[in-house]
Amino acid sequence: METETIHPHSEIQPSTKMSGPADDELVRLDRVERIYKMGDNVVRALDGVDISIHKGQYWSIIGRSGSGKSTLLNVLGCLDRPTGGTYFLGGTNVNQLDDDALSEIRGQRIGFIFQSFNLIPQLTVLENLEVPLFYQESEPGVAKERAERFADRVGLKDRLHHRPNELSGGQQQRVAIARALMNEPLILLADEATGNLDSKTEKEILTLLDELHQEGMTIIMVTHSDKVADRAGHKLELRDGKVLKITHLDRSPL
Amino acid sequence: MHRGSMIRTIRLGFKSLMLHKLRSALTMLGILFGVSSVIAMLSIGEGASYEAQERIKALGSNNIILESRKPPDQNTQQEQSAWTAQEYGLTYQDAELIADTLPAVKVVIPIREIPKRVRYSETIVPTIVLGTVPGYSEVTGVQLKEGRFLTRIDLQRKRNVAVIGSEIARKLFRLTNPIDKNIRIGKEIFRVIGQLAEPERGNTGKSADRMRQGIFVPLTAAISFFGELIVKTSAGSREMERVQLHRIKVQVLGNEEVLGTGAAIRKIMADQHKKKDFAVIVPLELLRQAEDTKRIFNIVLGSIAGISLLVGGIGIMNVMLATVTERTREIGIRRALGAKQRHIIAQFLVETVVLSCMGGILGILLGITIPAVVEWYSNITTIVSPTFPILAFGISAGVGILFGLYPAWRAAQMDPVEALRHE
C-alpha cells in the first residue's frame, strides 16, 4: 500500500506529540468532554471519556440514542472539537488545531462511512471517489488510478460512470467505503453504516469491513445493534456521555 | 489552489448549474438584460453624440456663423402695414466691420438667400438662390461634380452665372449635361457654370441641404438682378421683407482664437443692432456643450444600467443563498472529506461567477444585436465600441464575485456536524 498521504503535513505540528503512549497507539482520549450550552441548559454529551485505540484494532461503540455515541464519533473524526480533555490522533493533539488544520487531518487521516451513504448526487461514482483527493490537491491521474483500484476492491469497477441514484443501497455504501479508503486513512469511522440496509446487504457490508480489518485497517464503528457491535474485537458501551463498559473480545489482541 | 484544481472547480460549477437548468437560466436573465442594456444604451448614446458632433464639425470648428433672425416683437406691427416691407437682419456693413476690425478673422463670407423658382425647358423647381462670394467653397468645403465654382471676376462683373445643387441638377437636367445651359431663375437668365457633388448621405446639416437644393450665384449679381426686397408668398398671404444678408460665415485663423473672436463678434453685433435680429453660432461652443451633454447622458445611462445590474446581482445572490441551503448536506460531506473553508468558498464563488459570466456573454451578444436592429429600423446611428463588451464582461464578473461572496462565505461558515445532519 502507498503510504505517502498518511504522514502528517507541515501544518500539523509534530511538537504536540505525546511522550508516553506506545508507538502503535492511534487514538487516545483523556477525560474528553463535549458540553453543549443551550441557554441555561447544559448538556454533557461527552463527560470524561478515556479511550486508547491501537493500530489495526476494530472497535464498536454502542449505546442508546442520546448516549453520546454520535458526538464521540464526531470528535474522533475531527468534525467537532472537545470542550474539555485532550484528544491525540496519531500523536497530534487535535484540541489545539484550527479549522484548516482539522480539515487537513480529516482529509489525510480519516475515512468516513455514514448511515445515509452521503454520496454527492450530481457526481458519478468515479467523481465521488475523487473528491477526497481533490482537496489534497493530488494529480488527477493519481486520483483516477486509485478510484479504479478501490472501486475494484469493493466490487463496483463496472459502475464507475453511474450516478448514486442508479445504484442500490448496498452498492452506494460500497462506493462510500471505497471513498473512505481513497486517502488511505489511519482510521475508518463508520456511523451506523448498515442502519439503512436490509439484513442481506448488511451482512455483505459487515463482511467487507471485516476484510478491511483483516488487511490491517483500524476501524471504529458506531451502532445501536448488539449483533453488529459484536463483530468488532472491542466493544465500548456509552451511557449519558460516560463510558459504561469496555469489552475486549478474544478475537483480537489488545 | 493550483491551476488544475481551479479548472476542476469551474467544471464542477458548470455541472451544478446544469442540474437546475431553468433556475440557472432565469438567474442569468438578470445579468443578461443588465449587460445588454449597458451595451445597447452606451452604443446608442455614443452614436447620438457622434452624430451631433459630426453635424457640428460640418459647420466647421474654425467657423463662426451669424444668422439673421426676425425680431419677435415685429409681427404685430407688420400686420398693421401689410405693404411696408419689414427690415431686419445682418447687413453688408456688419460683414465689412467684422472683416476689418478683428485680426483673427481669416475670411468673411456673406450669404444672401432668396427663394425663387428655377426653370429649364419645361421643368420648374422651387429653389433657394444663394448670393455669395468665391470663398464660400473653401469655408464650407463644397465639392464640385462638374464645372467650376464662382470666381472673383464673376463677382466683380456681376455675371449672371450659377452653380447648381446636386438635386436641382438631377431634377432639371435628367440626362443632359447642365454645364453652359441657360436656366431661368425668376425672370432672369443665368448660365450654369458648375454642378455640386452630392453630400454624404448622413449629412443633414443646413449647408449640406443647400448643396442639394440651392443655386449659388455671385452676391453682386443676386443684388442687382433680384433687388433688396424679398417677397415670400405662402398660402394666401404675402410677406415682404428687406434683409441684406441672411448669413455670414466667419472663418477664424486658429482654433484657439475661435471663442475669443466669437465673443468679440457678439459685442460688435450688439452695438450695431439695437433690435435682437441676429444670432451668433459658434460650432466649437456647441461641440463643447455636446461633450458636456454626452457626459451627463453617460452618467444617466450608466446609473440606469448599473441599477439593472444591481437587481440582477441581487437575484443571483438570492438564488445562491437558496442553493447553499439546499446543498447544506453536500457542504457537510465535502467538509468531512477534507475540504477547507476556502475550498467551499471557491466552489460557490466560482459557481456564481460562471453563472454571471455566462449571463454576461449572452448579454454581450444581445447587447450587440440591439443597436444593429435599432440602426436597421430607424435611421439612428449607433456605435459599439470594442471597450463596451469588455467593460460589460468585467462588470458581470465583478457582480458575480461581489454578490457571490456572501452566499459562499455562509456556506463555508457552516458547522460540518450540523451540515451533515441537515436533511
Side-chain angles (χ1 to χ4, degrees):
Chain A
M1 253 197 186
E2 289 171 60
T3 53
E4 77 270 31
T5 54
I6 296 178
H7 295 296
H9 267 216
S10 55
E11 278 183 49
I12 301 158
Q13 295 301 318
S15 62
T16 54
K17 195 162 184 166
M18 240 180 112
S19 49
D23 281 347
D24 65 345
E25 188 178 44
L26 274 185
V27 171
R28 185 190 182 101
L29 269 62
D30 284 325
R31 284 186 293 284
V32 163
E33 289 178 350
R34 181 67 176 91
I35 298 169
Y36 296 99
K37 285 190 181 126
M38 286 177 257
D40 294 336
N41 256 1
V42 176
V43 178
R44 296 180 166 272
L46 292 179
D47 193 2
V49 174
D50 297 306
I51 313 175
S52 169
I53 294 171
H54 290 253
K55 193 172 187 301
Q57 290 181 336
Y58 188 176
W59 282 67
S60 62
I61 300 170
I62 188 162
R64 279 184 234 143
S65 65
S67 61
K69 57 186 195 299
S70 286
T71 308
L72 179 56
L73 199 77
N74 287 338
V75 167
L76 287 170
C78 297
L79 287 166
D80 200 0
R81 251 177 293 210
T83 49
T86 46
Y87 169 27
F88 288 90
L89 173 65
T92 308
N93 187 343
V94 172
N95 296 45
Q96 291 156 6
L97 298 179
D98 63 6
D99 193 89
D100 269 7
L102 285 178
S103 302
E104 207 155 297
I105 290 215
R106 290 196 296 269
Q108 289 169 3
R109 302 189 179 181
I110 293 166
F112 284 99
I113 305 163
F114 302 95
Q115 180 176 4
S116 48
F117 324 133
N118 277 345
L119 299 175
I120 298 173
Q122 65 264 36
L123 303 183
T124 64
V125 167
L126 177 64
E127 287 163 336
N128 263 293
L129 292 179
E130 285 173 345
V131 168
L133 291 198
F134 174 70
Y135 294 117
Q136 302 310 311
E137 296 178 1
S138 68
E139 291 304 314
V142 174
K144 187 156 189 271
E145 178 272 317
R146 233 186 258 185
E148 282 167 357
R149 180 146 54 88
F150 286 118
D152 192 30
R153 171 69 190 80
V154 298
L156 289 171
K157 199 175 184 176
D158 54 340
R159 298 294 163 106
L160 278 175
H161 300 288
H162 289 237
R163 281 179 201 275
N165 59 9
E166 295 165 339
L167 303 179
S168 71
Q171 287 173 325
Q172 288 189 49
Q173 195 61 300
R174 284 164 183 277
V175 175
I177 291 171
R179 182 179 65 182
L181 296 172
M182 280 295 286
N183 58 350
E184 301 185 318
L186 288 184
I187 47 174
L188 211 53
L189 298 178
D191 186 3
E192 303 276 12
T194 58
N196 279 6
L197 301 173
D198 60 61
S199 56
K200 180 172 165 280
T201 321
E202 176 178 53
K203 204 180 272 172
E204 284 171 20
I205 295 296
L206 290 174
T207 308
L208 181 57
L209 289 177
D210 285 346
E211 285 168 17
L212 290 171
H213 166 57
Q214 275 150 29
E215 286 164 20
M217 181 58 71
T218 313
I219 300 174
I220 304 173
M221 179 170 66
V222 162
T223 179
H224 61 273
S225 150
D226 276 312
K227 201 180 80 199
V228 172
D230 286 342
R231 295 181 78 109
H234 310 269
K235 189 162 114 182
L236 182 141
E237 279 173 69
L238 274 180
R239 183 177 290 173
D240 301 329
K242 290 189 171 74
V243 179
L244 187 71
K245 192 167 87 181
I246 294 179
T247 320
H248 301 291
L249 303 168
D250 53 353
R251 277 200 281 139
S252 88
L254 179 66
Chain B
M1 199 185 285
H2 59 72
R3 220 177 64 216
S5 62
M6 194 66 209
I7 291 166
R8 272 182 284 171
T9 308
I10 292 172
R11 264 184 44 206
L12 183 72
F14 265 109
K15 217 165 176 174
S16 305
L17 292 172
M18 290 310 280
L19 275 183
H20 302 280
K21 290 192 188 67
L22 181 66
R23 184 204 287 179
S24 302
L26 290 175
T27 313
M28 250 166 20
L29 280 185
I31 294 295
L32 194 158
F33 287 129
V35 165
S36 58
S37 64
V38 169
I39 295 176
M41 284 192 207
L42 282 176
S43 43
I44 291 170
E46 190 76 11
S49 89
Y50 171 80
E51 220 169 44
Q53 292 193 12
E54 282 303 297
R55 210 171 290 176
I56 293 163
K57 275 184 199 152
L59 295 174
S61 58
N62 269 13
N63 292 355
I64 295 168
I65 298 153
L66 290 87
E67 281 182 352
S68 288
R69 291 281 155 91
K70 189 186 272 188
D73 53 330
Q74 294 278 317
N75 278 339
T76 45
Q77 244 180 328
Q78 194 239 340
E79 271 172 37
Q80 287 166 353
S81 51
W83 293 102
T84 336
Q86 197 186 344
E87 199 172 337
Y88 69 89
L90 305 168
T91 62
Y92 307 122
Q93 201 198 334
D94 291 335
E96 275 165 35
L97 201 59
I98 289 166
D100 293 345
T101 50
L102 297 173
V105 167
K106 192 173 155 198
V107 200
V108 173
I109 309 292
I111 301 156
R112 183 173 160 71
E113 296 184 344
I114 311 145
K116 287 281 176 195
R117 285 164 199 275
V118 59
R119 178 177 167 177
Y120 175 75
S121 152
E122 294 303 305
T123 322
I124 300 173
V125 177
T127 183
I128 288 171
V129 176
L130 289 98
T132 187
V133 295
Y136 185 92
S137 66
E138 289 115 64
V139 174
T140 47
V142 295
Q143 298 289 322
L144 280 159
K145 191 183 171 196
E146 251 174 297
R148 62 173 177 88
F149 201 72
L150 308 170
T151 60
R152 188 179 293 275
I153 296 174
D154 294 332
L155 192 70
Q156 281 167 2
R157 300 197 179 157
K158 303 179 186 175
R159 276 180 178 164
N160 54 338
V161 290
V163 176
I164 59 174
S166 54
E167 220 170 287
I168 294 286
R170 208 163 48 238
K171 283 176 182 164
L172 289 183
F173 306 91
R174 286 172 195 206
L175 298 167
T176 15
N177 185 342
I179 304 299
D180 281 338
K181 299 285 186 309
N182 285 331
I183 53 174
R184 190 182 282 272
I185 303 174
K187 293 184 178 110
E188 312 299 333
I189 305 281
F190 278 73
R191 184 168 56 91
V192 177
I193 54 166
Q195 179 194 343
L196 296 181
E198 177 74 24
E200 277 174 51
R201 216 176 80 89
N203 196 342
T204 51
K206 195 165 193 172
S207 49
D209 194 50
R210 295 288 183 262
M211 283 176 219
R212 295 187 185 101
Q213 314 269 6
I215 295 180
F216 297 80
V217 301
L219 179 62
T220 48
I223 297 164
S224 69
F225 283 107
F226 303 117
E228 299 280 1
L229 195 68
I230 294 166
V231 181
K232 285 181 184 168
T233 23
S234 60
S237 75
R238 59 188 355 217
E239 208 179 293
M240 288 191 291
E241 51 184 37
R242 212 176 276 279
V243 178
Q244 294 185 358
L245 291 174
H246 292 84
R247 267 184 299 150
I248 300 175
K249 283 201 176 204
V250 178
Q251 194 171 43
V252 180
L253 282 171
N255 215 306
E256 63 282 359
E257 314 271 13
V258 173
L259 296 179
T261 310
I265 288 175
R266 282 202 178 97
K267 177 117 201 331
I268 292 172
M269 292 298 290
D271 289 345
Q272 295 294 313
H273 294 251
K274 294 301 165 217
K275 296 179 287 184
K276 182 93 174 111
D277 57 357
F278 66 92
V280 179
I281 300 155
V282 183
L284 194 66
E285 281 177 6
L286 296 178
L287 201 64
R288 298 265 159 89
Q289 279 167 16
E291 277 161 8
D292 284 348
T293 312
K294 186 193 167 190
R295 211 166 298 134
I296 294 167
F297 208 59
N298 279 349
I299 291 169
V300 172
L301 292 182
S303 323
I304 295 171
I307 288 167
S308 61
L309 276 171
L310 182 76
V311 171
I314 291 170
I316 283 200
M317 181 151 91
N318 203 0
V319 167
M320 287 312 292
L321 283 173
T323 304
V324 165
T325 309
E326 196 183 84
R327 282 159 63 189
T328 300
R329 199 182 183 102
E330 180 193 328
I331 294 163
I333 297 168
R334 288 182 180 275
R335 294 282 276 138
L337 297 180
K340 293 174 184 166
Q341 290 185 328
R342 61 183 165 88
H343 290 125
I344 301 295
I345 289 187
Q347 183 188 341
F348 283 94
L349 201 55
V350 162
E351 211 169 292
T352 321
V353 171
V354 165
L355 192 64
S356 63
C357 284
M358 289 204 306
I361 289 167
L362 294 175
I364 286 169
L365 295 180
L366 182 65
I368 291 171
T369 316
I370 292 170
V373 172
V374 166
E375 202 164 321
W376 179 263
Y377 280 106
S378 62
N379 245 336
I380 297 170
T381 311
T382 59
I383 295 168
V384 181
S385 149
T387 51
F388 300 164
I390 296 166
L391 181 79
F393 188 79
I395 290 172
S396 60
V399 163
I401 291 170
L402 189 69
F403 290 95
L405 265 178
Y406 178 64
W409 179 81
R410 277 263 296 254
Q413 287 301 310
M414 280 180 187
D415 176 34
V417 175
E418 292 291 327
L420 276 169
R421 213 179 284 157
H422 193 267
E423 285 306 317

